[in-house]
Structures are given as C-alpha cells and as structure tokens.
Amino acid sequence: MRGQIEIKGRTVSELLAHRFYQQVCSHLHMFILIGDDQAHKQLPSTLFRRLLQLAISSIDHYEPWDQDSLISVAQHHLDSAQNLPLGDDTLKYPDLQASIPSVAKAMAFIHLSAASYHGHLCPELPLVTPKTFLDFLETFMLLQQQMILQMKNKAQRFNNALGNLTTIFEQHNIHIHQVSILKQEMRDSYKKLSILRQQLEHSKILHKRQLAECRQQESLIRNLTKQWDALRAQHEAFLEQMGKAFLGPLSQLKVTDFEELRSYRAPPESVVQVTNALCDLFHRERGWASAKQLLSTEDFYQELVFFPKEKMTDSEIINLSIALKAPGMSDAALRAVSTPAASLAAWLWAVLRHRLAQHRGLPTGLLLRQVEATLAREQAQLAHYQFQSQEILEHNLALTTQLEGIQASHSHLVESLNWSQSDQYHTWPIKAALLEPMHSWTAELQKLKRQCMTVYGDALLCSAAIVYLGPFPPLRRQELLAKWLAVCKGFQETLGPDDVAQALKQNQKSVITPPKTPLLSTCSPFSLLSLLSSESEQFQWDRDLKPRAKSARLAGLLLRSYTHYFSCRWPLVLDPSKQALNWLNPLPLEHTRYMAPVPTKGRGKGDRSQEKEDKEDEEEEDNNNEKRPKTEEQKAEEKGKEEVVDN
C-alpha cells in the first residue's frame, strides 16, 4: 500500500523516468574495465560501492592470460582449425593434431617473451595483447598452410621436371638404340651387298668363260662339220661311182636272158660255172637244177637289183673272185658261148668290184663315222655348255635383282641414318648437360622433404616474427629470434631481456649439447629471408633499387606480409624516414585489392633521402658486424641456441 501511495504521489514524468530506468537496468549491459593499479592509486575508494548500487548484474574480474591460459587458448584454436591434407605420395608432413601440445607451448613462451620485451621497450603502449596472440594463431595457420601449398606446388614442379627429364633420357636412349640398330643393319646390309657383288662378279666371269667355251666349241663343231661334209661328199661320190658301176651291168640284164638260160637242158660248162657262182651268192646248192630253180624265182630281177652287197663275207668274196677268174670265165669266152651268161657274169663282176671298192672305201666310211660321232659328242657338249651358260645368266639376273633390292634397302637405311644424324642429336652430351639440373632438382626435392618435417616450427617462428618483431631494432630481433629457436630446440630460456645468465652462457667455451627431443623441429640454418621471400623476389628488389641491408630487407618482409590483411588489428607504422613507401609501393597484384592506393606525393625527395639513410643503415650494420667477435657465430652454432637469422 505504501508503494502504491508513493507511485500515486508522483507525477507522470517521474513515472516515465522510473519505467525507463527499469528497462535500461534490465536490458543494458555495461562493461567497465579498471586495472588493479588504477583501482588502488587513482580512483576513489567509494567507486566500486556506487557501481554496485547502480548495477543489477554480476561483476566479472578479468586478469591477464598466464602461460597455462595461453596454452589452453592455443590448443582450443588449433583443434578447431581446418587443416590441409597431410601429404601425398611425394611429401610427408607431420600431423598437426599430434604437434598441437608442442606448438601451443612454444606459442605461449613466444607471446610471454615478446610481452616482456615490449614491456621493457615501451610499457606505455599496449603492443602485446590477447588480440595479438589471436593474430599470432591466425598468422600461424595461414603461414603453415601457405608453406605446405608452396612446397606441394614446388615438389609437383620438380617431379614434373624430373619426369620430363626421365622422358627425355628414355627418348634419347631409344634414339641412340635406334641409331645403333640402323648402323648395325647398315653394316650387315653393306656386308651382304659386298658378298652379292662378289658373287655377281664371279658369276659374270663364269658366264664369260662359259661363253668363250661355247664359242670355242662352236668353232670346233664348225670345223668338224666341214670335215664331215667333205668326207660325206667324198664317200657319197664314191658310193655313187660304185652304184653306177653296179647298175651299168645290171641294166644289160633282161628277163629274156633268164628265160634263155632256163631253156638250156644241158648248158655249157662255162654257163654252169656262172650259175654255180650265182648259187653261192644266194646260198643255194650248186648245180644246174638248183640254178634253174633260182632263175625261175619270181622277181628274180628285183632280187638282183636289191642284192645286199654290203653283207657279203670275205669268204664269199674270195670264192666269187676265184670263180670269176677261172678259165673260160672271161667276157669274150662267155659271149662266145652265151650272151645271157656273159651278162650275168658281168653282174657278178660288178658285185665283186662293188664289194672290193667298198672294202677300199671302208677307212673313209670309218673316218666319216668317227667324225659323225665326234660331231655328235661335241654338239652335246655345246648344248651342255649353252645350258650351263643359260643357267649362269639366269642366276646373274636373279643376283642382279637381289642386288638392286639390297641396294634400295641400303639406300633407305643410309637415308634413315642420315636423317637420324642430321642434327647431330645422337652426339649431343645430353646426359651430361641434364645431369646437373637433375641432381640439383633431386637435391631440392630432398630438401623439400626435409622442410616438410620442419614446416610447423618454421611457420611458427615466421608467424612470431611477423606479429611480434616489428617494433624491435635489429639486435633485439636477433636476440628474441635466437631465444625462440632455442625454445624450439628444447632449451629452457628466460622471458626477459638483458639476461646475465644468457650472456655468461655465450662467453662459455664448453659446447652445450642440445636436448635429444626438440620441442619443434626447425630448418637449419634458419633464415627468415629464405622462408618469407624467394631469390626471384630478392633479385626484383635489387632491380628496383630496394635497400640492400639485411635488417632493412627483413623489416620490409615483416611489413609486406599478406597476413596483415587477416589480422584483428590494423598495423601501426611509424615511418619518419618514409622508407615504408619504398617497400609498400608497389605491392604485388594479388595484395593490392586489400589496400588503398599508395600516395605518390613527394616520392622523389623521399627516395633521395631514403638512399642516404639506406647507406647509413648499411654502414652502421657493417660496423656492428665488424665489432662482433669472429667466434660469436661459431659459438652460436656449437651451442645450438643462437643461429644467424639473416643468412
């Protein structure tokens, strides 16, 4: 009732203000961030009581992240991040999930050490905050993914190049093998060609020799033919004379003569002698009765005409000669007794003379037969020679055809070999020329495989350099980077700068053995320039007349890192000497879309002053390097803690 009375006693404006106050208290969330030192030193003691009276919600007390909190945040962030595939058939990468504890521990130490160095350098500026650590995490994820992709692409290019070289080697070996085969085939073809030519020449010589023998044989046959013709003409003339001598007495005989002789009952003695000689020739018995029967034979005259005079034996010739030379057998005596008997005796004399003449012409006939046999034999030999000559000629034609085919094949082989050797490809030292790049690319591929095992450590240190090393001078950068490298190798390091124990360790002569199991593997020697840049980019900077000092190049790389585009905070650049324009102009094309165009006003003056400052920076860095002991780098390598950053 009392509250209602109080509400009724208020005005409308007061009621509206009260309702508005209630709405604000129920919906408004106000965060008032007050540090501990501010609460104790600068603010009044009654401030927290008044704030509690105004607030209707709980009060949270925020404290800076310690190492365990940083490790927890890093592990949670890395667990929820999307990772690339671990590797392919060529490159094998360590598992990020298995490396998360080591990465988170190293990140926490790097963040705390950077915060300690920043607090020592400039405690008034919040250069290292939780957002910086979140940027560190994002930068690490971006860089490790970029490094993995770059190594994959580079390995793919190397594998493609090595595959192309292998293909070239195989093609070269195939070409060399083909050339050697062509040479061997050409040698075989030349050898076969020489053999065929020799065979053809030998066959031609045989053919010429055979033709000479044929001509000699033909000449011999011509001579034998002439001799045979002469002997045959002589023999035929002799036979013709004998025939005429035989046919003359035969023509004197008449059929009536035989009838007249048969009419004798008791012929005279001389007639009986003639008929007895006739019976002896016809192999009949002697006597008139037998002779009369012989004379009475039909066609007796034809038998006389075709009497086989050549078949008469020597005894028959002798008996006939004796009978014809007997007394009373002369032609006159017989004609005186009987003319038919004289004609028949004349025929007997013709037979005897024919046979005797034939006997005298026997050597000529024998010689004629010998000449005929020799002529036939020589003609057969000539035919054999001609047949052999024809065979040799056909063999020569076959050899000529085969030789032409082999010559065409040989010419084709020579043309193919000349075409294969036209550009002297087979004599190029292609293996020697490509052996060096093949070895270098293989070495680069092996180097990439080693870098794959250190990709997370390298990406972690590069990310830390990009996020934390910007505000520091070169010496502090080297000092911090050396500490981070030592932590990755497993050493226990202090967070703050200017550590006396660290200086004592550097002056120790004993070699400090690094732990067997490093926290994170890193490449050795470690170089930010080689990891964040490339040789081609460095050459381009040389052509663009960028500063050559390593500290300036490192500062330019930290400034130009594309990871700033994904950062939670805008980068703060203090550039009194205007060197940033030289590094930021021009940016790579793929990065210019994230930034506004760089102003070009006053660039000429800035460039001239910048060259002077670059020279001073280089001289100062060289002087600092000369003042260092020569054994400092050697000690750093032996201790495994301080490696030269800008190799």
Side-chain angles (χ1 to χ4, degrees):
M1 293 294 293
R2 184 179 178 181
Q4 294 178 355
I5 294 172
E6 290 179 357
I7 292 174
K8 290 180 179 179
R10 294 179 182 178
T11 61
V12 177
S13 59
E14 291 178 351
L15 290 175
L16 291 176
H18 181 70
R19 289 181 181 178
F20 177 75
Y21 173 74
Q22 289 180 347
Q23 292 291 329
V24 169
C25 290
S26 61
H27 293 88
L28 178 63
H29 298 271
M30 183 179 296
F31 294 90
I32 302 175
L33 303 178
I34 301 174
D36 292 339
D37 53 352
Q38 294 177 352
H40 291 291
K41 295 180 181 180
Q42 299 178 3
L43 298 179
S45 59
T46 59
L47 178 62
F48 288 103
R49 184 172 58 83
R50 294 177 182 177
L51 291 175
L52 288 174
Q53 292 177 355
L54 294 175
I56 61 174
S57 60
S58 62
I59 297 176
D60 294 329
H61 179 69
Y62 294 94
E63 295 180 354
W65 289 352
D66 57 0
Q67 186 173 3
D68 294 335
S69 300
L70 292 173
I71 292 174
S72 177
V73 171
Q75 288 180 347
H76 177 74
H77 186 83
L78 294 176
D79 285 333
S80 61
Q82 184 178 3
N83 299 325
L84 292 175
L86 292 180
D88 51 12
D89 296 337
T90 305
L91 301 179
K92 301 296 181 182
Y93 303 93
D95 188 7
L96 179 59
Q97 297 298 324
S99 304
I100 284 178
S102 301
V103 174
K105 185 176 180 181
M107 281 185 166
F109 178 83
I110 289 172
H111 180 78
L112 293 176
S113 62
S116 177
Y117 272 73
H118 278 295
H120 178 76
L121 175 66
C122 185
E124 292 80 6
L125 294 177
L127 298 178
V128 178
T129 63
K131 284 189 176 181
T132 310
F133 188 70
L134 296 178
D135 288 341
F136 182 26
L137 291 171
E138 292 294 336
T139 303
F140 168 73
M141 294 303 299
L142 290 174
L143 277 184
Q144 63 94 11
Q145 291 180 1
Q146 182 195 19
M147 287 182 176
I148 290 175
L149 290 176
Q150 287 179 351
M151 284 188 286
K152 281 185 177 181
N153 295 333
K154 198 171 183 180
Q156 185 65 34
R157 290 196 300 270
F158 283 143
N159 287 327
N160 293 338
L162 291 175
N164 293 334
L165 284 182
T166 304
T167 303
I168 292 174
F169 283 154
E170 291 176 355
Q171 292 178 354
H172 180 72
N173 292 332
I174 291 173
H175 181 79
I176 293 297
H177 183 63
Q178 289 177 350
V179 170
S180 62
I181 290 176
L182 286 175
K183 286 183 177 180
Q184 184 63 35
E185 289 180 354
M186 192 177 69
R187 286 193 292 267
D188 296 340
S189 177
Y190 183 77
K191 184 177 180 180
K192 188 182 295 184
L193 194 62
S194 301
I195 293 173
L196 280 177
R197 285 175 177 172
Q198 292 177 0
Q199 291 179 355
L200 184 59
E201 292 296 329
H202 181 67
S203 183
K204 286 182 178 180
I205 293 173
L206 288 179
H207 185 256
K208 290 180 180 179
R209 189 179 301 170
Q210 200 71 22
L211 289 178
E213 290 180 357
C214 288
R215 288 192 294 269
Q216 184 178 359
Q217 195 71 15
E218 288 175 354
S219 177
L220 178 61
I221 289 174
R222 284 195 298 271
N223 294 332
L224 288 175
T225 303
K226 290 179 181 180
Q227 185 179 359
W228 181 79
D229 290 340
L231 290 174
R232 184 176 179 81
Q234 182 181 356
H235 186 65
E236 287 179 354
F238 179 73
L239 292 178
E240 185 178 0
Q241 290 178 0
M242 288 192 303
K244 290 180 179 180
F246 175 73
L247 293 176
L250 183 61
S251 62
Q252 296 178 5
L253 285 175
K254 298 178 181 178
V255 179
T256 57
D257 293 337
F258 301 144
E259 293 178 356
E260 184 179 352
L261 289 175
R262 285 196 303 268
S263 63
Y264 287 114
R265 291 184 178 180
E269 184 65 24
S270 57
V271 174
V272 174
Q273 290 180 353
V274 172
T275 56
N276 287 335
L278 184 63
C279 288
D280 290 337
L281 288 179
F282 284 93
H283 303 94
R284 298 290 183 92
E285 294 181 359
R286 288 190 170 204
W288 175 245
S290 177
K292 192 173 181 179
Q293 289 179 358
L294 179 62
L295 293 173
S296 299
T297 305
E298 294 182 0
D299 299 329
F300 180 68
Y301 183 79
Q302 296 297 329
E303 291 182 3
L304 293 179
V305 173
F306 297 103
F307 180 76
K309 304 174 288 297
E310 295 82 3
K311 295 182 179 181
M312 292 177 62
T313 62
D314 293 339
S315 60
E316 291 176 348
I317 293 173
I318 293 171
N319 293 331
L320 181 60
S321 177
I322 293 172
L324 291 176
K325 291 180 180 180
M329 292 295 291
S330 62
D331 184 67
L334 288 174
R335 286 188 180 279
V337 176
S338 174
T339 302
S343 299
L344 188 58
W347 180 82
L348 291 174
W349 275 106
V351 171
L352 179 61
R353 291 190 188 97
H354 184 276
R355 187 66 184 87
L356 292 175
Q358 186 180 7
H359 186 71
R360 289 193 304 271
L362 186 61
T364 303
L366 181 61
L367 181 60
L368 180 60
R369 287 192 295 273
Q370 290 179 353
V371 171
E372 286 179 353
T374 304
L375 183 60
R377 186 172 61 254
E378 296 299 331
Q379 286 178 346
Q381 188 69 24
L382 176 61
H384 179 68
Y385 287 162
Q386 289 176 348
F387 179 74
Q388 287 184 345
S389 177
Q390 185 65 26
E391 284 186 345
I392 293 173
L393 181 60
E394 292 177 356
H395 181 64
N396 290 345
L397 293 176
L399 286 178
T400 303
T401 304
Q402 188 177 0
L403 183 62
E404 290 176 354
I406 294 178
Q407 283 179 345
S409 177
H410 184 75
S411 301
H412 179 69
L413 287 175
V414 171
E415 183 179 357
S416 300
L417 185 61
N418 291 334
W419 180 81
S420 300
Q421 298 177 347
S422 59
D423 53 356
Q424 299 297 322
Y425 177 72
H426 67 289
T427 59
W428 286 356
I430 185 170
K431 290 187 177 180
L434 297 182
L435 196 60
E436 182 178 356
M438 191 171 187
H439 285 317
S440 63
W441 292 343
T442 305
E444 289 292 334
L445 193 59
Q446 296 298 326
K447 183 179 178 182
L448 282 177
K449 291 181 179 180
R450 292 192 297 270
Q451 289 179 357
C452 289
M453 305 308 298
T454 63
V455 61
Y456 297 133
D458 298 338
L460 180 67
L461 293 178
C462 291
S463 304
I466 293 171
V467 174
Y468 296 111
L469 292 184
F472 291 105
L475 293 179
R476 290 296 186 184
R477 290 174 184 168
Q478 287 188 353
E479 183 180 349
L480 262 177
L481 191 58
K483 280 191 175 185
W484 297 344
L485 277 171
V487 169
C488 290
K489 290 182 179 180
F491 290 100
Q492 297 294 330
E493 295 292 331
T494 58
L495 297 177
D498 301 330
D499 187 15
V500 178
Q502 184 72 20
L504 292 176
K505 289 180 182 179
Q506 292 179 1
N507 295 328
Q508 288 179 358
K509 296 183 179 180
S510 60
V511 178
I512 300 177
T513 305
K516 295 182 179 180
T517 57
L519 185 63
L520 282 176
S521 298
T522 58
C523 64
S524 180
F526 184 83
S527 174
L528 287 175
L529 286 177
S530 61
L531 290 174
L532 295 177
S533 181
S534 61
E535 292 184 359
S536 60
E537 186 178 23
Q538 295 296 314
F539 291 152
Q540 184 62 40
W541 287 358
D542 293 338
R543 289 191 292 269
D544 295 340
L545 302 179
K546 303 287 186 184
R548 292 179 178 271
K550 293 181 180 179
S551 59
R553 292 280 171 104
L554 180 58
L557 285 175
L558 299 180
L559 180 63
R560 290 170 58 90
S561 175
Y562 77 98
T563 57
H564 293 306
Y565 304 140
F566 307 96
S567 175
C568 299
R569 304 165 300 128
W570 289 99
L572 175 63
V573 180
L574 300 179
D575 186 27
S577 60
K578 297 183 180 180
Q579 290 190 15
L581 293 177
N582 193 17
W583 291 107
L584 295 177
N585 187 23
L587 283 177
L589 294 177
E590 59 269 19
H591 294 165
T592 55
R593 65 177 181 270
Y594 297 105
M595 298 184 63
V598 179
T600 58
K601 184 177 180 180
R603 286 187 59 188
K605 182 177 179 181
D607 291 342
R608 288 192 295 270
S609 62
Q610 181 179 348
E611 291 178 0
K612 183 177 180 180
E613 291 172 359
D614 292 340
K615 292 181 180 179
E616 293 176 357
D617 190 6
E618 291 177 2
E619 292 176 357
E620 182 179 357
E621 184 176 359
D622 294 338
N623 293 331
N624 292 333
N625 292 332
E626 291 176 359
K627 291 178 182 179
R628 296 177 186 175
K630 294 183 179 179
T631 60
E632 181 180 354
E633 184 177 353
Q634 183 177 1
K635 290 181 179 180
E637 291 180 355
E638 292 175 350
K639 294 177 182 180
K641 297 176 64 177
E642 292 186 2
E643 295 184 16
V644 179
V645 178
D646 300 323
N647 288 336

